[in-house]
Amino acid sequence: MNEPLALYIHWPFCAAKCPYCDFNSHVREGGPDHPRFRAALLRELAHEAARVGRRPLASVFFGGGTPSLMEPETVAALLEAARTHFDAAPDMEVTLEANPTSVEAGKLHGFREAGVNRLSLGVQSLDEEALRFLGRRHDAKEAVAALEVARALFPRLSFDLIYARPGQDEASWRAELRKALALAADHLSLYQLTIEPGTRFHTEHARGAFRLPEDDDAARMYEATAEEAARFDLHAYEISNYAKPGAESRHNLAYWRYGDYLGIGAGAHQRLLLDGAMLATRRHRAPEEWAARVERDGHAAVEETALSPQERGREAMLMGLRLAEGVDPARVERRAGTSFAEVVDPAMLSALAEEALLEWEGGRLRATPEGRARLDSLLPLLLR
């Protein structure tokens, strides 16, 4: 099997920690040691490339943290190394996440010259009060300016928005969404504001500093999103992602279709089918310790587990049913190394299909729109 790889590169540093964020991100006074972390990323990439051999490479994704705080020279060096180690597709998708502050927007030309051809812009909101509440370092004017610059520079553009914020209702969300969609982008990633343990919002919410909209109100905002996005020819191809036809994130599709992906950098995860075993790898989260381990050993993996066929099947279903296209049972069997019936409870599958939560189309199993809205409660019933 020589299925194309996806490569994820994690830059763990941010200028400030957002109060809702539970990602592996860190703030360093004066900024990180760029040459050291560039060298460590290059070394860990070389280590993983030696393990997997010369495979086709379909996509590279710079995530974080805040990758737009990287030096464009680091991005260029990593892309050059990736093309050296692997057979890069002629149209390889190269995505970089960026924040729309004026400082980071000023570096966009450099990232484009480095080889980035798809930008994912962390707009989060076009409402000034909401941006302050979310702890963002940009204002709405900067967000609009960054969108306009990015639209002119990059062949493909995505942006993120957060909804179900305190005090938000369906009407105000529709207005904000229309304004954002009219500005730019062929792709939208949408996230409901949730309260994650260990974040500042978790502490503030627990003491009653703010309240989130009721579940029914949040559900109406989610439904409104599909209607507004469709006005601009963006359609939900995954629970939280909307795209114009052909503009879907190829990198993220590799995750959802349970393909092979490498993950390098502090805290990165990867899934790799190697010699018949699906290896789940996790790297050290602390940036300086990660770098020290890479300098010593060539990598900073702290855990690598061969998943059982049932675990592989469950992961394939958990990811695949998020997609509007659903899952191909034959592919699940190939990736899991077991039969579909060992992964899915046939009786429960029939019951959920009768309730119009799941359906078969063209040999694929998919969740209906109502089923995708209830996927978190549906999956524990369905999977063995």
Side-chain angles (χ1 to χ4, degrees):
M1 187 201 69
N2 213 27
E3 194 171 287
L5 286 169
L7 170 62
Y8 176 79
I9 299 173
H10 190 76
W11 184 256
F13 301 107
C14 286
K17 186 79 172 179
C18 294
Y20 56 84
C21 178
D22 68 340
F23 291 171
N24 186 38
S25 58
H26 306 262
V27 178
R28 294 291 180 265
E29 193 70 34
D33 183 341
H34 284 270
R36 182 189 187 193
F37 283 93
R38 179 191 307 153
L41 285 168
L42 288 166
R43 186 169 183 192
E44 190 162 62
L45 175 58
H47 173 86
E48 289 303 321
R51 293 179 73 199
V52 304
R54 195 162 188 88
R55 294 267 299 270
L57 181 64
S59 65
V60 180
F61 194 105
F62 292 90
T66 307
S68 50
L69 295 176
M70 299 172 76
E71 295 173 339
E73 294 81 5
T74 299
V75 173
L78 285 161
L79 290 175
E80 181 181 0
R83 289 188 170 94
T84 299
H85 295 309
F86 305 109
D87 292 325
D91 62 344
M92 184 171 73
E93 179 186 87
V94 181
T95 303
L96 182 134
E97 294 180 333
N99 283 332
T101 66
S102 56
V103 172
E104 292 163 75
K107 299 168 69 175
L108 295 184
H109 285 87
F111 293 128
R112 182 70 185 105
E113 291 174 3
V116 175
N117 54 30
R118 182 177 181 271
L119 195 75
S120 178
L121 205 56
V123 173
Q124 313 309 4
S125 176
L126 291 177
D127 179 86
E128 297 290 6
E129 185 178 346
L131 287 170
R132 287 192 293 271
F133 170 74
L134 293 169
R136 304 300 290 171
R137 295 170 68 87
H138 65 274
D139 58 27
K141 185 178 178 180
E142 284 180 306
V144 171
L147 279 167
E148 290 173 345
V149 170
R151 182 174 55 185
L153 278 176
F154 295 91
R156 298 175 60 198
L157 174 62
S158 177
F159 63 86
D160 298 350
L161 291 176
I162 294 175
Y163 76 104
R165 308 182 304 254
Q168 191 178 39
D169 58 24
E170 181 185 339
S172 63
W173 172 235
R174 282 183 184 270
E176 183 178 351
L177 192 54
R178 285 179 189 176
K179 182 178 178 181
L181 288 166
L183 285 168
D186 55 9
H187 189 284
L188 165 67
S189 295
L190 173 73
Y191 302 105
Q192 181 175 343
L193 181 60
T194 55
I195 306 303
E196 303 296 340
T199 63
R200 197 182 87 205
F201 271 2
H202 187 266
T203 302
E204 293 178 357
H205 187 260
R207 62 178 172 82
F210 64 88
R211 292 180 58 188
L212 297 181
E214 298 294 330
D215 289 345
D216 288 349
D217 294 327
R220 281 192 289 272
M221 286 183 233
Y222 178 79
E223 291 166 4
T225 303
E227 296 173 11
E228 296 299 333
R231 295 174 187 265
F232 294 85
D233 198 28
L234 275 75
H235 304 281
Y237 71 101
E238 190 269 346
I239 285 178
S240 299
N241 288 272
Y242 302 76
K244 292 182 178 178
E248 299 84 0
S249 168
R250 285 177 242 157
H251 183 86
N252 287 337
L253 281 171
Y255 300 152
W256 296 317
R257 290 171 176 166
Y258 207 52
D260 282 358
Y261 62 92
L262 301 180
I264 66 166
H269 291 244
Q270 73 182 32
R271 292 290 186 275
L272 185 64
L273 192 57
L274 201 61
D275 299 325
M278 177 64 76
L279 300 178
T281 306
R282 179 176 60 84
R283 308 197 186 281
H284 202 287
R285 289 175 58 88
E288 286 75 18
E289 177 62 21
W290 167 83
R293 290 182 182 224
V294 173
E295 290 160 352
R296 185 188 69 204
D297 303 325
H299 69 93
V302 292
E303 182 180 9
E304 185 163 88
T305 306
L307 301 178
S308 70
Q310 192 166 25
E311 288 173 324
R312 289 154 64 172
R314 286 180 63 88
E315 285 193 344
M317 294 296 294
L318 286 166
M319 299 299 282
L321 282 178
R322 294 180 62 87
L323 291 168
E325 71 182 23
V327 297
D328 175 1
R331 176 172 173 79
V332 173
E333 290 180 341
R334 286 197 305 273
R335 299 293 289 173
T338 189
S339 70
F340 196 64
E342 289 297 315
V343 177
V344 171
D345 183 330
M348 186 56 67
L349 174 56
S350 296
L352 293 171
E354 286 180 12
E355 294 181 32
L357 298 174
L358 296 176
E359 63 185 3
W360 289 97
E361 183 170 310
R364 303 179 69 90
L365 177 66
R366 65 182 191 179
T368 63
E370 184 180 354
R372 286 205 300 279
R374 297 168 55 183
L375 200 58
D376 286 347
S377 57
L378 178 157
L379 285 167
L381 303 173
L382 177 66
L383 302 180
R384 289 188 182 277

